[in-house]
Amino acid sequence: MRGLIEENIITEDGEFILNIGPQHPSTHGVLHLKVWLDGETIKKIEPHIGYIHRSIEKMSERLSYRNFIFATSRMDYLAAHINNEACALTIEKALQIEATPRAKFVRTILSELTRLASHQLWWGCTGLDLGAVTPFFYAFREREAIMAIMEETCGARLTQNFMVPGGIMTDIHPNFQQRTKDILEQIKGKYKEYDDIMSGNVIFENRTKGVGYLSKEDAISFGVTGPTARASGVSCDIRKWNPYSAYDQVEFDEILSNGGDCYARYQVRMKEMRQSVSIIEQLIDNIPEGDFQEKTKMVIKLPKGEYYQRVETPRGELGVYLVSDGSANPYRIKYRSPNFSNLSVLPAIAKGYKIGDLVAIMATIDLVIPDIDR
Amino acid sequence: MSASVIIFYILSAIVLGSGILAVTNSKIFRAAVFLLFSLMGVAGLYFYLNNNFIAAVQMVVYVGGIVVLIIFSIFLTQASGSDMAKPNMGRAFFSALSVIIGLMFTLLFIGEQKFISTTNPSIEPEVKNIGRQMLSTTEHGFVLPFELVSMLLLAAMIGCIVIAIKRPITHLKEN
Amino acid sequence: MAFLVNYFKTIYKTLKSLLTGMKVTGYYFTHLREIHTEEYPDNRATLTMFDRFRGEVIMPHNTDNEHRCTGCQACEIACPNGSIKIITKQELLPDGKKKKRIDTFVYHLDLCTMCNLCVVSCPSDAIVMGQNFEHSVYDKKTLKKILNNPDSKLMAGVE
Amino acid sequence: MNTIFLYSLAGLATLIHNWLGKFISSELGLHILELAIIGLSLIVFLVLLCFFLGYMERRVAAFMEIRLGPNRVGPQGTLQIVADTVKLLFKEGLTPNSSDKFLFNLAPFIMVIASMMAIAPIAFAKDFQIYDINIGVLYVSAISSISVLGILMAGWSSNNKYSLLGAMRSGAQIVSYELSVGLSLISIVILSGSLSLGDIVLSQQNGWWLFKGHIPILISFVIFIIASTAEINRAPFDLAEADQELTGGFNTEYSGMKFAMFLLSEYINLFIVSAIAATLFLGGWMPFHIGGGPSSFNHIMDLIPSSIWFLGKTFTIIFIIMWFRWTFPRLRVDQLLNLEWKYLLPISMVNIIIVTLIAIMGWHF
């Protein structure tokens, strides 16, 4: 018998290193965290990424401007619409055209529906990570209805690829408006249930309050964006600061909180869901008639130059940096993905907490691993 | 040989066998597990003697309390997996000597002891009787042993803490 | 005293919140009509996909075994993954002219991401998205499909 | 008030004993045979019980999660758990190369033996008890302390860091929650004046302790349910397993039949704590009587067999514990210990003083 090799358990310095991932239930993907532990307390975290790198940026250099958009659906697969929209907006910016008003409205509605669906999934997964299995199914019930809208109008549930330069791919389905209104009513009726089973639950509150504190300064210096940063008091909503599509035509609040802990992040997202519902409600009855797509050339060639467009995904700021050399293919594309920056703050804020807290922190940062690696 | 004798021998074999294994095993965790079996065998002997209350207390105190504490402290020490170092010859000699002397001492006492079967009725382990006996200071009272048992638990706890204290691990680095 | 009041307040709040949570799950336990399970293989007979659902690329043929594909290869260019390959041939028309016609329309289902770009780019609406989504096969080779039927012709009037 | 018309199962045991006595003359042989019969029927009963509990848990979970649950194998999916067992039986039981193989293989057996031993003093029906030990309550709590050793052994011998952390957690958890369980059990012992489960049931002839003992007993009932949920490592106290944090904790490395044995012991433990709660607080097999109420009502209650009463109460408590599991998030390890040392233990200590006062003054009914 080889015996128990104590070096396996504890290193020579007496350190206890736990490898969380690449396959682990609460990393939501193939993220590998090397965690130095002292008992159950985290001393240090080192994220190891790259297990799911698919070189989407490099691949896009080979594709035409119409074609490369589809690949971005696979980055943050929970916000495929918004990723696609970012690319379409970049191309429109370079071509100096704008999408038709109808397309703008539909884009905004679809983006907010995506945000709702993404936050629903996040809500369920947060419960799941904290050990409550049931909320996951309640979240999926509403998410399923949103996915049905996507399927009916866009043709696909997750990787829709509905955005094209100049507008949307096809016109909306005749049922689109009615279905959207129905789902909004359904979600509005479920707010109380969500609060009853999760937000107000004392175990949940104790698990999240005061856990994973992220200060405003840290949030800014680590480049954290999205609800994670807004929970620390950083105003960074692109929809407010740099409105695109139809966001300049709707009234909504940027949800800010000064808590900085997991509970604040949770509350910010929960309130954002209400804001998304209100945005859709403002738009859904006012979709202007007209073309759904601005006429563009068969082969799009962008003028030589550099273009940058940013949008607000459910997880933060997605920036598309595009360099064109005047040909039909992009010269270089770089995505500034929100999850990559948000992950970078994890080692800083998880230090000193327990393993159980690490799961809560990861859940409330809402990491989507394919978006980190791209 | 009647059934009760067979049961007695089986229990004794468990107690002694696992006791010896506990002492001789070079892996501290396994030694603790064998100690556990030995103590459970003792509890079995109490059950065999129809003294259920003492048997249950044996289980609660030793199995549930002391062995768990020992195992816990083993967890906290860093060398729980590796073989323990062999004791040096001098120590082994003296400990063997003391064991032999102790054994002879015990045998001597057992030889001298006349086992008289008692005619007193056994005390029913009712809650009232247990309570009276435990808290009385008279002849059949057990308040002193009762307090001593708590001392034993305290001693076990302190011992565990002593074992668990982190030793400087310089020797590992030198190698 | 304030400590004790707080202590019992915490206990009261805790129990209340826990019971509120149990009320939700208890409600669903007793209301079985709220069940949302899709019994997929069993509901195959009644299952209808949305008409826009993108399951696979198909090429509709009419009753005369005619399709609308002119072989312009716009879809092949539009496809980001190279899942479409059009092999053309020269065909002699009755009026003596030679014209480019498709020989085989090869479609690699295993490469396709259902992005719909080929359908959108087709100038003659020759290909559409089918609703079939049960694509699992035992042999990967069968995922390479030829969309035009054997001996099919270009529909009259489509250029 | 000796108006209990319950059908007694005592005759059954005598019948079997006499019938077997016709064939076997030796006293020893008869004893061994009877022991074997009891053991075998117990194992069969427990396995069937676990099948049922497994099915029940899945269905309860599914209905709470707006799902259907198992509905493919057998009528209404009842045979799903059999299919799972067959699968687990045929699955390879892997033993990690660098594990302590002796302890690794021993741990599941320790767990199952500990759970099965604890079932001995439980009264399933009137006069139907495997062993009416005179210290039943103490016996159960003594035996249940062995199972923690099984978890510790499993966690340590797997040579896996997740398992080790799980074992550490469960050790701290079970050792501390044993106190609350013990104290809430003692509150009933004080009132009934007996440690024997049979006597405790009989002492509830004119009303269950939950009603007779006023609010303090209600409090100790709640504490018992919470603390015993923690002691059997079920959610929201399943820190030793904690799938989302420790990927299964102490049983991460187990597969096949050895894993199934952990599952078996978990369900048996669930049954035992529920049975103990039913016996101590809800009167065991004792029917529901209204003291001084209409005798016809009490008579109708007596017509229901005692085993139905016992199993009904037990499964109600099992359902409540399952309900906990499918509603609440998991506690963190420090919060778990906080709950015990800051809330449950002080409350139960004060509670036991009040119960003692009630018992001395005779305020209970």
Side-chain angles (χ1 to χ4, degrees), chain A residues 25-26 28 124-131 207 359 363, chain D residues 244-245 330:
Chain A
S26 61
H28 299 194
C125 286
T126 304
L128 203 58
D129 283 351
L130 295 175
R207 280 294 300 274
V359 174
Chain D
Q244 287 85 7
E245 295 155 27
R330 182 182 302 114

Side-chain angles (χ1 to χ4, degrees), chain B residues 107-172:
Chain B
L107 286 174
L108 206 69
F109 268 106
I110 289 174
E112 278 184 5
Q113 176 75 29
K114 298 217 164 31
F115 291 97
I116 324 153
S117 56
T118 173
T119 50
N120 294 349
S122 63
I123 303 162
E124 270 295 300
E126 277 181 2
V127 180
K128 257 181 203 162
N129 294 336
I130 293 164
R132 286 219 178 100
Q133 287 206 312
M134 273 203 181
L135 295 177
S136 83
T137 47
T138 53
E139 197 187 342
H140 291 292
F142 288 98
V143 74
L144 186 67
F146 185 54
E147 291 301 316
L148 284 177
V149 166
S150 52
M151 286 295 289
L152 178 70
L153 280 173
L154 183 70
M157 214 148 78
I158 292 172
C160 292
I161 293 166
V162 170
I163 296 171
I165 286 173
K166 222 177 201 170
R167 282 190 214 90
I169 32 172
T170 42
H171 65 281
L172 262 172

Side-chain angles (χ1 to χ4, degrees), chain B residues 15-16 39 73 86 104 110 114 145:
Chain B
V15 173
L16 290 175
L39 292 171
S73 61
K86 283 238 164 64
M104 281 163 71
I110 289 174
K114 298 217 164 31

